[in-house]
mmCIF file of all heavy atoms in Angstrom:
data_model
loop_
_atom_site.group_PDB
_atom_site.id
_atom_site.type_symbol
_atom_site.label_atom_id
_atom_site.label_comp_id
_atom_site.label_asym_id
_atom_site.label_seq_id
_atom_site.Cartn_x
_atom_site.Cartn_y
_atom_site.Cartn_z
ATOM 1 N N THR A 243 1.824 -14.091 -5.507
ATOM 2 C CA THR A 243 0.743 -14.121 -6.510
ATOM 3 C C THR A 243 0.840 -15.366 -7.383
ATOM 4 O O THR A 243 1.877 -15.744 -7.885
ATOM 5 C CB THR A 243 0.857 -12.900 -7.437
ATOM 6 O OG1 THR A 243 0.675 -11.709 -6.615
ATOM 7 C CG2 THR A 243 -0.152 -12.895 -8.510
ATOM 8 N N MET A 244 -0.307 -16.008 -7.601
ATOM 9 C CA MET A 244 -0.426 -17.136 -8.530
ATOM 10 C C MET A 244 -0.581 -16.563 -9.959
ATOM 11 O O MET A 244 -1.319 -15.564 -10.158
ATOM 12 C CB MET A 244 -1.609 -18.032 -8.179
ATOM 13 C CG MET A 244 -1.542 -18.618 -6.810
ATOM 14 S SD MET A 244 -3.017 -19.658 -6.390
ATOM 15 C CE MET A 244 -2.683 -21.101 -7.438
ATOM 16 N N ILE A 245 0.070 -17.203 -10.893
ATOM 17 C CA ILE A 245 0.082 -16.626 -12.264
ATOM 18 C C ILE A 245 -0.577 -17.604 -13.192
ATOM 19 O O ILE A 245 -0.307 -18.829 -13.185
ATOM 20 C CB ILE A 245 1.562 -16.438 -12.703
ATOM 21 C CG1 ILE A 245 2.270 -15.493 -11.792
ATOM 22 C CG2 ILE A 245 1.577 -15.868 -14.182
ATOM 23 C CD1 ILE A 245 3.781 -15.341 -12.084
ATOM 24 N N GLN A 246 -1.498 -17.100 -13.976
ATOM 25 C CA GLN A 246 -2.206 -17.897 -14.999
ATOM 26 C C GLN A 246 -1.921 -17.285 -16.355
ATOM 27 O O GLN A 246 -2.259 -16.099 -16.603
ATOM 28 C CB GLN A 246 -3.759 -17.919 -14.747
ATOM 29 C CG GLN A 246 -4.540 -18.529 -15.883
ATOM 30 C CD GLN A 246 -4.269 -20.042 -16.010
ATOM 31 O OE1 GLN A 246 -4.223 -20.781 -15.044
ATOM 32 N NE2 GLN A 246 -3.975 -20.452 -17.229
ATOM 33 N N ARG A 247 -1.316 -18.057 -17.233
ATOM 34 C CA ARG A 247 -1.131 -17.625 -18.547
ATOM 35 C C ARG A 247 -2.415 -17.796 -19.397
ATOM 36 O O ARG A 247 -3.085 -18.836 -19.245
ATOM 37 C CB ARG A 247 0.002 -18.414 -19.210
ATOM 38 C CG ARG A 247 0.455 -17.945 -20.555
ATOM 39 C CD ARG A 247 1.887 -18.486 -20.868
ATOM 40 N NE ARG A 247 2.306 -18.160 -22.189
ATOM 41 C CZ ARG A 247 3.510 -18.373 -22.620
ATOM 42 N NH1 ARG A 247 4.451 -18.877 -21.853
ATOM 43 N NH2 ARG A 247 3.821 -18.113 -23.869
ATOM 44 N N CYS A 248 -2.724 -16.836 -20.177
ATOM 45 C CA CYS A 248 -3.969 -16.786 -20.924
ATOM 46 C C CYS A 248 -4.127 -18.000 -21.867
ATOM 47 O O CYS A 248 -3.311 -18.183 -22.803
ATOM 48 C CB CYS A 248 -4.100 -15.521 -21.725
ATOM 49 S SG CYS A 248 -5.617 -15.439 -22.721
ATOM 50 N N ILE A 249 -5.129 -18.818 -21.659
ATOM 51 C CA ILE A 249 -5.339 -20.027 -22.477
ATOM 52 C C ILE A 249 -5.730 -19.658 -23.895
ATOM 53 O O ILE A 249 -5.302 -20.276 -24.866
ATOM 54 C CB ILE A 249 -6.445 -20.945 -21.839
ATOM 55 C CG1 ILE A 249 -5.962 -21.456 -20.472
ATOM 56 C CG2 ILE A 249 -6.789 -22.086 -22.755
ATOM 57 C CD1 ILE A 249 -4.827 -22.420 -20.501
ATOM 58 N N ILE A 250 -6.550 -18.554 -24.023
ATOM 59 C CA ILE A 250 -6.989 -18.156 -25.365
ATOM 60 C C ILE A 250 -5.831 -17.737 -26.227
ATOM 61 O O ILE A 250 -5.716 -18.154 -27.409
ATOM 62 C CB ILE A 250 -8.046 -17.050 -25.280
ATOM 63 C CG1 ILE A 250 -9.218 -17.498 -24.437
ATOM 64 C CG2 ILE A 250 -8.496 -16.594 -26.623
ATOM 65 C CD1 ILE A 250 -9.957 -18.690 -24.972
ATOM 66 N N HIS A 251 -4.902 -16.931 -25.643
ATOM 67 C CA HIS A 251 -3.678 -16.585 -26.335
ATOM 68 C C HIS A 251 -2.901 -17.828 -26.720
ATOM 69 O O HIS A 251 -2.362 -17.893 -27.843
ATOM 70 C CB HIS A 251 -2.767 -15.701 -25.425
ATOM 71 C CG HIS A 251 -3.089 -14.231 -25.501
ATOM 72 N ND1 HIS A 251 -3.978 -13.647 -24.620
ATOM 73 C CD2 HIS A 251 -2.679 -13.263 -26.304
ATOM 74 C CE1 HIS A 251 -4.092 -12.368 -24.836
ATOM 75 N NE2 HIS A 251 -3.309 -12.096 -25.935
ATOM 76 N N GLN A 252 -2.833 -18.760 -25.820
ATOM 77 C CA GLN A 252 -2.009 -19.952 -26.082
ATOM 78 C C GLN A 252 -2.595 -20.754 -27.251
ATOM 79 O O GLN A 252 -1.858 -21.276 -28.114
ATOM 80 C CB GLN A 252 -1.971 -20.818 -24.810
ATOM 81 C CG GLN A 252 -1.163 -22.067 -24.914
ATOM 82 C CD GLN A 252 0.368 -21.819 -24.911
ATOM 83 O OE1 GLN A 252 0.770 -20.708 -24.502
ATOM 84 N NE2 GLN A 252 1.134 -22.755 -25.347
ATOM 85 N N ILE A 253 -3.944 -20.899 -27.291
ATOM 86 C CA ILE A 253 -4.610 -21.646 -28.350
ATOM 87 C C ILE A 253 -4.349 -20.951 -29.647
ATOM 88 O O ILE A 253 -4.033 -21.573 -30.702
ATOM 89 C CB ILE A 253 -6.094 -21.752 -28.042
ATOM 90 C CG1 ILE A 253 -6.361 -22.596 -26.800
ATOM 91 C CG2 ILE A 253 -6.866 -22.357 -29.247
ATOM 92 C CD1 ILE A 253 -7.760 -22.518 -26.288
ATOM 93 N N ARG A 254 -4.544 -19.607 -29.716
ATOM 94 C CA ARG A 254 -4.359 -18.885 -30.966
ATOM 95 C C ARG A 254 -2.924 -19.073 -31.495
ATOM 96 O O ARG A 254 -2.680 -19.336 -32.699
ATOM 97 C CB ARG A 254 -4.585 -17.396 -30.738
ATOM 98 C CG ARG A 254 -6.042 -17.035 -30.582
ATOM 99 C CD ARG A 254 -6.116 -15.562 -30.343
ATOM 100 N NE ARG A 254 -7.431 -15.109 -29.917
ATOM 101 C CZ ARG A 254 -7.664 -14.022 -29.188
ATOM 102 N NH1 ARG A 254 -6.655 -13.253 -28.839
ATOM 103 N NH2 ARG A 254 -8.886 -13.703 -28.820
ATOM 104 N N ASN A 255 -1.921 -18.935 -30.596
ATOM 105 C CA ASN A 255 -0.582 -19.066 -30.999
ATOM 106 C C ASN A 255 -0.188 -20.462 -31.456
ATOM 107 O O ASN A 255 0.689 -20.658 -32.285
ATOM 108 C CB ASN A 255 0.369 -18.672 -29.843
ATOM 109 C CG ASN A 255 0.316 -17.187 -29.531
ATOM 110 O OD1 ASN A 255 -0.003 -16.354 -30.434
ATOM 111 N ND2 ASN A 255 0.647 -16.808 -28.291
ATOM 112 N N THR A 256 -0.895 -21.457 -30.932
ATOM 113 C CA THR A 256 -0.639 -22.848 -31.288
ATOM 114 C C THR A 256 -1.255 -23.132 -32.679
ATOM 115 O O THR A 256 -0.599 -23.697 -33.529
ATOM 116 C CB THR A 256 -1.294 -23.824 -30.248
ATOM 117 O OG1 THR A 256 -0.693 -23.539 -28.964
ATOM 118 C CG2 THR A 256 -0.941 -25.260 -30.654
ATOM 119 N N LEU A 257 -2.466 -22.688 -32.875
ATOM 120 C CA LEU A 257 -3.217 -23.022 -34.127
ATOM 121 C C LEU A 257 -2.654 -22.264 -35.363
ATOM 122 O O LEU A 257 -2.839 -22.709 -36.485
ATOM 123 C CB LEU A 257 -4.669 -22.729 -33.936
ATOM 124 C CG LEU A 257 -5.433 -23.661 -32.991
ATOM 125 C CD1 LEU A 257 -6.895 -23.195 -32.870
ATOM 126 C CD2 LEU A 257 -5.365 -25.073 -33.479
ATOM 127 N N LYS A 258 -2.006 -21.104 -35.157
ATOM 128 C CA LYS A 258 -1.566 -20.368 -36.269
ATOM 129 C C LYS A 258 -0.470 -21.068 -37.084
ATOM 130 O O LYS A 258 -0.218 -20.748 -38.237
ATOM 131 C CB LYS A 258 -1.118 -18.980 -35.865
ATOM 132 C CG LYS A 258 0.193 -18.901 -35.121
ATOM 133 C CD LYS A 258 0.473 -17.397 -34.742
ATOM 134 C CE LYS A 258 1.757 -17.267 -33.924
ATOM 135 N NZ LYS A 258 1.987 -15.867 -33.514
ATOM 136 N N TYR A 259 0.152 -22.103 -36.540
ATOM 137 C CA TYR A 259 1.189 -22.886 -37.216
ATOM 138 C C TYR A 259 0.597 -24.169 -37.834
ATOM 139 O O TYR A 259 1.364 -24.911 -38.407
ATOM 140 C CB TYR A 259 2.325 -23.210 -36.303
ATOM 141 C CG TYR A 259 3.008 -21.987 -35.740
ATOM 142 C CD1 TYR A 259 2.932 -21.612 -34.432
ATOM 143 C CD2 TYR A 259 3.802 -21.163 -36.590
ATOM 144 C CE1 TYR A 259 3.602 -20.517 -33.938
ATOM 145 C CE2 TYR A 259 4.505 -20.040 -36.114
ATOM 146 C CZ TYR A 259 4.334 -19.723 -34.823
ATOM 147 O OH TYR A 259 4.986 -18.605 -34.289
ATOM 148 N N VAL A 260 -0.702 -24.373 -37.604
ATOM 149 C CA VAL A 260 -1.359 -25.618 -38.119
ATOM 150 C C VAL A 260 -2.104 -25.299 -39.380
ATOM 151 O O VAL A 260 -2.989 -24.454 -39.333
ATOM 152 C CB VAL A 260 -2.266 -26.239 -37.061
ATOM 153 C CG1 VAL A 260 -2.934 -27.501 -37.522
ATOM 154 C CG2 VAL A 260 -1.459 -26.505 -35.773
ATOM 155 N N PRO A 261 -1.842 -26.038 -40.467
ATOM 156 C CA PRO A 261 -2.605 -25.739 -41.738
ATOM 157 C C PRO A 261 -4.086 -26.094 -41.611
ATOM 158 O O PRO A 261 -4.475 -26.883 -40.750
ATOM 159 C CB PRO A 261 -1.924 -26.615 -42.743
ATOM 160 C CG PRO A 261 -1.185 -27.679 -41.979
ATOM 161 C CD PRO A 261 -0.840 -27.043 -40.669
ATOM 162 N N HIS A 262 -4.861 -25.447 -42.501
ATOM 163 C CA HIS A 262 -6.320 -25.587 -42.414
ATOM 164 C C HIS A 262 -6.810 -27.033 -42.406
ATOM 165 O O HIS A 262 -7.753 -27.375 -41.706
ATOM 166 C CB HIS A 262 -6.926 -24.826 -43.583
ATOM 167 C CG HIS A 262 -8.455 -24.817 -43.553
ATOM 168 N ND1 HIS A 262 -9.229 -24.103 -42.659
ATOM 169 C CD2 HIS A 262 -9.340 -25.511 -44.314
ATOM 170 C CE1 HIS A 262 -10.455 -24.327 -42.881
ATOM 171 N NE2 HIS A 262 -10.597 -25.142 -43.899
ATOM 172 N N LYS A 263 -6.148 -27.901 -43.156
ATOM 173 C CA LYS A 263 -6.660 -29.243 -43.323
ATOM 174 C C LYS A 263 -6.617 -30.035 -42.021
ATOM 175 O O LYS A 263 -7.435 -30.962 -41.852
ATOM 176 C CB LYS A 263 -5.810 -29.998 -44.359
ATOM 177 C CG LYS A 263 -4.362 -30.259 -43.997
ATOM 178 C CD LYS A 263 -3.587 -30.931 -45.147
ATOM 179 C CE LYS A 263 -2.098 -31.109 -44.828
ATOM 180 N NZ LYS A 263 -1.905 -32.078 -43.738
ATOM 181 N N ASP A 264 -5.748 -29.656 -41.103
ATOM 182 C CA ASP A 264 -5.645 -30.355 -39.799
ATOM 183 C C ASP A 264 -6.237 -29.525 -38.623
ATOM 184 O O ASP A 264 -6.325 -30.086 -37.543
ATOM 185 C CB ASP A 264 -4.180 -30.679 -39.456
ATOM 186 C CG ASP A 264 -3.612 -31.765 -40.322
ATOM 187 O OD1 ASP A 264 -4.399 -32.597 -40.853
ATOM 188 O OD2 ASP A 264 -2.398 -31.835 -40.502
ATOM 189 N N ARG A 265 -6.602 -28.303 -38.880
ATOM 190 C CA ARG A 265 -6.858 -27.406 -37.757
ATOM 191 C C ARG A 265 -8.097 -27.810 -36.961
ATOM 192 O O ARG A 265 -8.042 -27.799 -35.735
ATOM 193 C CB ARG A 265 -7.088 -25.943 -38.339
ATOM 194 C CG ARG A 265 -7.137 -24.912 -37.210
ATOM 195 C CD ARG A 265 -7.013 -23.550 -37.751
ATOM 196 N NE ARG A 265 -5.732 -23.346 -38.375
ATOM 197 C CZ ARG A 265 -5.440 -22.308 -39.166
ATOM 198 N NH1 ARG A 265 -6.403 -21.401 -39.403
ATOM 199 N NH2 ARG A 265 -4.283 -22.168 -39.718
ATOM 200 N N LYS A 266 -9.140 -28.285 -37.602
ATOM 201 C CA LYS A 266 -10.386 -28.638 -36.832
ATOM 202 C C LYS A 266 -10.121 -29.765 -35.896
ATOM 203 O O LYS A 266 -10.493 -29.721 -34.701
ATOM 204 C CB LYS A 266 -11.497 -28.932 -37.836
ATOM 205 C CG LYS A 266 -12.834 -29.212 -37.179
ATOM 206 C CD LYS A 266 -13.937 -29.413 -38.206
ATOM 207 C CE LYS A 266 -15.266 -29.607 -37.502
ATOM 208 N NZ LYS A 266 -16.328 -29.857 -38.498
ATOM 209 N N GLU A 267 -9.476 -30.828 -36.379
ATOM 210 C CA GLU A 267 -9.230 -31.991 -35.529
ATOM 211 C C GLU A 267 -8.168 -31.637 -34.483
ATOM 212 O O GLU A 267 -8.305 -32.073 -33.301
ATOM 213 C CB GLU A 267 -8.706 -33.153 -36.409
ATOM 214 C CG GLU A 267 -8.487 -34.459 -35.676
ATOM 215 C CD GLU A 267 -7.971 -35.573 -36.497
ATOM 216 O OE1 GLU A 267 -7.904 -35.408 -37.746
ATOM 217 O OE2 GLU A 267 -7.698 -36.660 -35.940
ATOM 218 N N PHE A 268 -7.213 -30.842 -34.837
ATOM 219 C CA PHE A 268 -6.129 -30.455 -33.914
ATOM 220 C C PHE A 268 -6.735 -29.635 -32.731
ATOM 221 O O PHE A 268 -6.460 -29.854 -31.576
ATOM 222 C CB PHE A 268 -5.057 -29.657 -34.597
ATOM 223 C CG PHE A 268 -3.815 -29.371 -33.818
ATOM 224 C CD1 PHE A 268 -2.750 -30.232 -33.894
ATOM 225 C CD2 PHE A 268 -3.776 -28.286 -32.988
ATOM 226 C CE1 PHE A 268 -1.592 -29.958 -33.147
ATOM 227 C CE2 PHE A 268 -2.608 -28.060 -32.245
ATOM 228 C CZ PHE A 268 -1.534 -28.889 -32.345
#
Side-chain angles (χ1 to χ4, degrees):
T243 298
M244 298 179 74
I245 303 172
Q246 173 64 49
R247 189 160 171 171
C248 177
I249 296 294
I250 301 301
H251 275 91
Q252 184 73 17
I253 295 167
R254 286 179 192 155
N255 290 335
T256 303
L257 291 177
K258 70 182 180 183
Y259 299 110
V260 178
H262 181 74
K263 65 183 179 68
D264 288 336
R265 190 168 297 167
K266 185 174 181 180
E267 184 179 357
F268 191 93

